[in-house]
């Protein structure tokens, strides 16, 4: 968060310098929290230099814009930038995006958006399966016992019915009804449908709709692609049916028509195509592995961090699941991923030991611990190795070496739990106890080589911040935690579903860069004041409001993601900046349907922007929250 003493002029000068100067800026606008540059050449900009600028929280590249996240002081920095180059138009409207995501990027974005929310459930199930390996191995559980059978069902459930989970996630991604999506998945997994299709295939017969249109037999359990395509189809059929059904019959005719139209298309065309695509991806991966052997494991392990950066690693999840469903194990991607995770942890550990910067030592040390023990590599990747550049080379060298060793040992993964020290049991074969030794050797080779390579190659250590300047800033404006002002309740400004900020499809909000809070998908197009207070900021496009309560809470309500690009369309502010408001008063009205039709996510983050002044911010997740119902507790 920002001190009021932040020098906006210096921040603006440094930002302009790092983005290539005035000659590289085509246009500039800002929204509630970030500067949105359209640059002539993004390739000449060093993202890390921009991030090092005091006052910059992060950088994002989205929809052809180079976005620099500033936070509450964005308006002041924007004004200073315009003094330096007069980049803004007279009405400060966002420029048209000249770049669109290519089809490959869009596909990856969809897969990532659908898979990410499901991963915790899959990891939970995978860890149960790890227990089923460990407990019999140490003699605490018999494989013939009923307990073992029950735990097997618990471990397999999330994987077998994974299309249901992904269907719900995909419905959120495509902005369609989650229950229709879940119903589609459940129909495809219905025991009678599976046995009916299987019996016909065994008898050499073809199931046909209306005795004319053939239905292809396909396996949908454990699958990913078929349900994503099916929900994508649903996102077009549902609004079409909604338009053609009379209002008086909508409550019963619409649901029937949605399923009656969607399911035959899914069974006949979309589902089988999705199954073919999934099998095709698996075949390609198997072919690469068969052709290059252990070399392929080392190669993928070495470049895996860059695969993660592009988001392509999510595309491998269906492949791994398909392989395990078909053969019981996966012997390529999972091994490469294990070595990559260990390498990131080891490289970060080397940085922690070698660096003289106390903050960096602490960051690198904690990042190493999370990567090695739990397989959580984002802090190491983005906060250490990629940030310092040279440690990334050390990590890649170690990962490639470890991948070659693991490939030579023909290691296999029998689960999809995050590769790490705590999940070693998923790499142990029941009839090959020596595989425990193999996986330990593979991990040790990776860790040792990554550590030594990083330590020898070295890196440009980050100089410590000017502590005297920080101390002076603290003297000018001491930060007092509101330790005594506990139990502040913030009511919901909208009616809808409340969920964690971490699930929001925008890194600025999901990483809590602007503060902690909650997110809501509103059911109605109205925002009300969640407390008595004052409107500090009401953005001119109407999509974002900054409030301050009488108890000192600063709250940002941001309606939709990237809705600043609508330039105020479909938003109807009822108040203005500077006004005092009472709890429950209407602040904003907006047209949900038109915003969705324009292609925007209506998710509304609600952020306590001065979170650092409090001990903790706790959001209440709930499927249905009413207006003014308590959703944030501040302690």
């Amino acid at each position: 968060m920002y001190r009021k003493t932040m020098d906006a002029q210096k921040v603006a000068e440094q930002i302009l310098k790092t983005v290539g100067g005035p000659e590289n800026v085509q246009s500039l606008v800002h929204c509630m929290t970030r500067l949105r540059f359209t640059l002539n050449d993004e390739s000449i900009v060093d993202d890390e230099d921009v991030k090092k600028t005091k006052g910059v929280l992060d950088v994002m590249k989205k929809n052809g814009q180079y976005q620099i996240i500033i936070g509450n002081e964005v308006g002041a920095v924007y004004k200073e930038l315009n003094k330096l180059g007069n980049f803004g138009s007279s009405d400060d409207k966002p420029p048209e995006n000249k770049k669109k995501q290519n089809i490959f990027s869009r596909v990856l974005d969809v897969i990532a958006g659908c898979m990410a929310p499901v991963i915790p459930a899959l990891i939970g199930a995978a860890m149960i399966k790890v227990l089923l390996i460990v407990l019999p191995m140490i003699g605490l559980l018999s494989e013939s016992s009923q307990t073992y059978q029950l735990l097997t069902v618990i471990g397999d459930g999330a994987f077998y019915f994974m299309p249901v989970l992904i269907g719900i996630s995909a419905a959120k991604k495509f902005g369609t009804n989650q229950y229709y999506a879940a119903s589609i998945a459940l129909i495809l997994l219905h025991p009678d449908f599976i046995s009916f299709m299987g019996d016909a295939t065994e008898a050499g017969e073809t199931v046909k709709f209306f005795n004319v249109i053939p239905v292809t037999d396909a396996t949908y359990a454990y699958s990913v692609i078929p349900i994503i395509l099916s929900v994508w189809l649903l996102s077009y059929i549902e609004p079409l049916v909604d338009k053609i059904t009379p209002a008086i019959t909508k409550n019963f005719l619409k649901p029937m028509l949605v399923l009656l139209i969607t399911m035959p298309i899914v069974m006949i065309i979309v589902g089988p195509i999705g199954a073919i695509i999934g099998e095709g991806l698996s075949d390609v991966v198997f072919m690469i592995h068969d052709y290059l052997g252990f070399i392929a494991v080392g190669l993928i392990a070495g470049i895996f961090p860059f695969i993660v950066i592009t988001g392509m690693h999510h595309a491998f999840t269906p492949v791994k699941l398909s392989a395990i469903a078909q053969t019981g194990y996966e012997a390529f991607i999972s091994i490469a991923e294990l070595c990559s995770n260990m390498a990131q942890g080891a490289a970060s550990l080397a940085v922690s030991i070698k660096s003289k910067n106390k903050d960096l030592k602490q960051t690198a040390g904690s990042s190493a611990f999370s990567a090695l023990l739990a397989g959580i590599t984002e802090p190491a990747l983005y906060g250490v190795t990629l940030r310092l550049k040279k440690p990334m080379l050390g990590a890649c060298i170690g990962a490639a070496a470890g991948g070659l060793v693991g490939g030579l040992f023909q290691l296999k993964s029998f689960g999809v739990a995050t590769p790490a020290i705590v999940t070693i049991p998923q790499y142990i074969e029941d009839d090959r106890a020596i595989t425990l030794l193999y996986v330990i050797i593979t991990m040790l080779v990776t860790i040792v080589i990554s550590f030594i390579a990083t330590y020898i190659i070295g890196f440009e250590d980050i100089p410590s911040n000017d502590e005297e300047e920080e101390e002076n800033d603290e003297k000018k404006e001491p930060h007092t935690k509101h330790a005594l002002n506990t139990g502040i309740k913030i009511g919901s400004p909208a009616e809808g579903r409340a969920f964690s900020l971490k699930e929001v499809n925008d890194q600025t909000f999901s990483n809590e860069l602007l503060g902690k809070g909650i997110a809501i998908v509103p059911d109605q197009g109205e925002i009300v004041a969640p407390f008595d207070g004052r409107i500090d900021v009401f953005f001119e496009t109407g999509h974002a409001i900054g409030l301050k309560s009488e108890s000192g809470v600063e709250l940002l309500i941001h309606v939709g993601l990237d809705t600043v690009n609508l330039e105020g369309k479909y938003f109807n502010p009822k108040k203005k900046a500077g006004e005092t408001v009472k709890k429950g008063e209407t602040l904003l009205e907006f047209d949900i349907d038109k915003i969705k039709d324009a292609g925007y996510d209506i998710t509304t983050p609600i952020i306590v922007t001065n979170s650092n002044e409090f001990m903790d911010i706790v959001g209440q997740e709930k499927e249905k929250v009413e207006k003014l119902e308590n959703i944030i507790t501040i302690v």
Side-chain angles (χ1 to χ4, degrees):
M1 309 308 289
Y2 295 96
R3 296 179 173 90
K4 293 179 181 178
T5 54
M6 185 185 82
D7 192 329
Q9 181 181 351
K10 288 184 178 179
V11 174
E13 290 173 351
Q14 183 62 24
I15 287 175
L16 187 58
K17 178 181 177 182
T18 55
V19 298
E23 61 276 8
N24 195 38
V25 179
Q26 187 180 119
S27 59
L28 169 66
V29 293
H30 76 97
C31 62
M32 194 73 177
T33 59
R34 53 187 102 175
L35 299 166
R36 295 170 178 257
F37 287 90
T38 299
L39 301 177
N40 293 315
D41 185 1
E42 283 189 7
S43 65
I44 68 172
V45 183
D46 188 330
D47 296 345
E48 294 305 316
D49 284 346
V50 179
K51 292 177 185 178
K52 289 177 184 176
T53 302
K54 185 176 181 180
V56 172
L57 289 176
D58 204 354
V59 167
M60 289 183 65
K61 299 174 183 178
K62 197 171 184 181
N63 298 328
Q65 292 180 338
Y66 192 88
Q67 302 177 6
I68 300 178
I69 302 162
I70 301 295
N72 293 341
E73 301 293 329
V74 66
V77 177
Y78 174 77
K79 288 180 180 178
E80 294 299 329
L81 279 165
N82 269 318
K83 290 179 183 178
L84 298 172
N86 193 27
F87 306 114
S89 61
S90 59
D91 56 2
D92 283 348
K93 290 184 179 180
E96 291 184 11
N97 295 327
K98 296 187 180 291
K99 297 180 183 178
K100 299 293 183 181
Q101 279 188 311
N102 58 45
I103 185 66
F104 183 67
S105 298
R106 290 170 64 187
V107 169
L108 287 179
D109 179 63
V110 168
I111 294 176
C114 295
M115 288 302 305
V118 178
I119 295 300
L122 297 184
I123 289 177
M127 292 305 296
I128 300 287
K129 295 171 81 69
V130 169
L131 281 178
L132 289 172
I133 297 173
V134 174
L135 295 180
M137 187 182 300
I138 60 179
L140 291 181
L141 186 66
S142 170
E143 293 184 4
S144 60
S145 69
Q146 293 179 341
T147 301
Y148 183 90
Q149 301 302 319
L150 289 171
L151 287 175
T152 299
V153 172
I154 295 172
D156 284 340
F159 291 103
Y160 186 87
F161 292 102
M162 186 168 57
V164 179
L165 302 177
I166 294 175
I168 294 170
S169 179
K172 296 178 183 177
K173 182 68 178 177
F174 293 121
T176 191
N177 188 287
Q178 298 174 44
Y179 302 101
Y180 290 148
S183 296
I184 292 172
L186 290 168
I187 292 168
L188 294 176
L189 297 173
H190 195 290
D192 289 348
F193 175 66
I194 294 173
S195 62
F196 173 56
M197 294 298 297
D199 292 344
T201 301
E202 288 182 9
E205 300 175 355
T206 301
V207 176
K208 296 180 179 179
F209 255 110
F210 305 114
N211 295 321
V212 176
I213 308 172
V215 179
T216 303
D217 187 18
T219 301
Y220 297 110
Y222 298 89
S223 67
V224 174
I225 305 298
I227 188 61
I228 291 178
L229 291 178
S230 299
V231 178
W232 170 76
L233 173 68
L234 172 67
S235 70
Y236 287 94
I237 291 178
E238 185 191 359
L240 178 63
V241 172
D242 186 66
K243 288 180 181 179
I244 65 174
T245 50
I248 195 171
T249 64
K250 204 174 289 289
N251 64 335
F252 64 88
L253 187 59
K254 176 186 172 181
M256 181 188 75
L257 289 177
V258 166
L259 291 178
L260 201 56
I261 295 171
T262 304
M263 284 315 305
I265 300 175
V266 168
M267 291 177 172
I268 296 166
I269 302 173
V270 174
I273 288 176
I276 291 170
I277 292 173
E279 291 175 6
L281 289 172
S282 298
D283 290 343
V284 169
V285 170
F286 289 145
M287 182 180 67
I288 294 172
H289 189 216
D290 292 342
Y291 185 72
L292 296 177
F294 71 95
I295 296 175
V297 182
L299 178 64
I300 294 299
I303 65 173
F304 204 82
F306 304 101
I307 294 174
V308 172
I309 291 169
T310 64
M312 275 188 62
H313 62 298
H314 291 291
F316 286 137
T317 302
V319 176
K320 291 190 293 184
L321 291 168
S322 175
I324 292 174
Q326 293 177 35
T327 64
Y329 63 85
E330 199 280 316
F332 182 16
I333 304 300
S334 298
I335 310 306
E337 189 176 2
L338 170 67
C339 295
S340 178
N341 287 1
M342 295 299 98
Q344 289 294 318
S348 294
L349 183 61
V351 170
S352 177
I353 292 174
K354 192 170 185 177
S355 175
K356 292 182 173 58
N357 183 309
K358 292 181 180 180
D359 291 336
L360 181 58
K361 288 175 77 72
Q362 182 178 357
T363 298
S366 61
S367 298
F369 180 82
S370 65
L372 292 170
L373 192 68
I376 300 172
T377 60
E378 284 80 4
L381 179 61
Y382 295 108
V384 183
T385 58
L386 187 61
R387 179 184 181 187
L388 299 177
K389 298 181 179 64
K390 287 184 179 179
M392 178 66 83
L393 177 59
C396 290
I397 292 171
L404 291 173
V405 173
L408 278 171
F409 284 144
Q410 297 183 345
L411 287 179
K412 301 178 179 69
S413 175
F414 298 88
V416 294
T418 305
I421 291 175
V422 297
T423 59
I424 285 177
Q426 73 179 352
Y427 301 95
I428 303 173
E429 297 182 47
D430 291 338
D431 55 351
R432 290 180 68 206
I434 197 170
T435 51
L436 173 59
L437 177 61
Y438 289 164
V439 71
I440 291 175
I441 291 174
T442 299
M443 294 170 74
L444 284 176
V445 168
T446 305
I447 292 170
V448 171
I449 293 180
S450 299
F451 182 92
I452 293 175
T454 302
Y455 203 91
I456 293 175
I457 293 171
F459 53 90
E460 185 178 345
D461 205 1
I462 297 175
S464 298
N465 292 331
D466 188 345
E467 295 181 359
E468 290 184 3
E469 179 183 341
E470 290 297 315
E471 289 175 3
N472 290 335
D473 286 345
E474 291 292 337
K475 290 176 182 178
K476 291 177 183 178
E477 187 177 346
H479 287 269
T480 304
K481 298 284 183 182
H482 295 263
L484 300 177
N485 197 4
T486 59
I488 300 174
K489 302 289 185 180
I490 305 296
S492 175
E495 177 183 314
R497 182 176 68 88
F499 60 97
S500 170
L501 278 180
K502 297 184 185 297
E503 297 180 27
V504 176
N505 191 27
D506 187 300
Q507 292 180 5
T508 303
F509 298 114
S510 62
N511 292 338
E512 299 182 338
L513 296 179
L514 303 177
K516 297 182 178 181
I518 197 77
I520 288 181
V521 176
D523 293 336
Q524 299 177 1
E526 182 185 24
I527 298 294
V528 301
F531 46 58
D532 294 345
R534 183 185 74 249
I535 301 176
D536 279 348
V537 180
F538 207 135
F539 204 70
E540 59 187 9
T541 57
H543 75 290
I545 310 167
L547 301 164
K548 187 170 184 178
S549 74
E550 294 177 348
S551 57
V553 176
E554 296 175 10
L555 197 72
L556 168 65
I557 304 172
H558 195 288
V559 181
L561 304 181
D562 285 325
T563 44
V564 64
N565 294 327
L566 288 171
E567 304 177 9
K569 288 182 181 178
Y570 318 130
F571 290 94
N572 182 20
K574 296 297 181 182
K575 298 287 183 178
K576 58 185 179 181
E579 286 193 58
T580 299
V581 294
K582 292 293 184 182
K583 184 175 182 178
E585 284 188 307
T586 300
L587 304 179
L588 172 69
E589 292 179 352
F590 54 97
D591 194 319
I592 290 181
D593 293 333
K594 288 183 179 179
I595 293 173
K596 287 183 178 179
D597 290 343
Y600 290 89
D601 187 340
I602 200 64
T603 297
T604 300
I606 301 166
I607 314 292
V608 178
T609 55
N610 60 336
S611 295
N612 64 328
E613 297 182 10
F614 301 95
M615 296 177 64
D616 199 9
I617 312 293
V618 181
Q620 178 66 47
E621 298 181 41
K622 196 172 181 181
E623 278 301 314
K624 180 66 174 179
V625 64
E626 303 295 335
K627 289 175 187 174
L628 303 182
E629 181 179 348
N630 290 334
I631 56 165
I632 296 177
T633 300
I634 300 177
V635 295

